[in-house]
Amino acid sequence: TEILDEMRQIFSVVICDSPALLAVADAALVARRADAVLMVYALGTTPSRSLQRAQGILTTARANILGVVANDLAGVQPRAGYTAYYGKR
């Protein structure tokens, strides 16, 4: 935590990438010290109950959750309406 405090004195924004929240306790400890948290998950792969569990852990840790980032979009099949509207590539 001392390193984080030192970086805050030097930089206006500090972004910390942590291990998966459900895999290790370190992520919850970092989240507690952070000004804000963005949850990152693999769209189409991460079960919704895992997201809910992660949100619960962050809430219990009193983390300030700003929102989520959905990555790994390549593995998601577009819906018919979406494809029809934007066209196929």
Side-chain angles (χ1 to χ4, degrees):
T1 62
E2 291 177 21
I3 293 172
L4 186 57
D5 291 336
E6 288 177 25
M7 288 192 292
R8 283 182 171 143
Q9 291 176 1
I10 299 168
F11 302 102
S12 58
V13 176
V14 178
I15 298 174
C16 300
D17 182 20
S18 70
L21 181 64
L22 299 180
V24 294
D26 294 354
L29 297 174
V30 171
R32 180 179 298 194
R33 297 276 306 154
D35 293 327
V37 173
L38 285 172
M39 293 175 49
V40 180
Y41 73 101
L43 189 63
T45 304
T46 305
S48 61
R49 79 194 122 148
S50 293
L51 282 175
Q52 291 170 345
R53 190 166 152 226
Q55 182 183 18
I57 291 169
L58 290 171
T59 300
T60 300
R62 301 176 77 174
N64 176 22
I65 305 170
L66 289 183
V68 297
V69 175
N71 67 6
D72 196 22
L73 298 176
V76 178
Q77 297 296 321
R79 296 185 179 166
Y82 179 85
T83 304
Y85 183 77
Y86 288 103
K88 293 184 179 183
R89 294 182 189 186

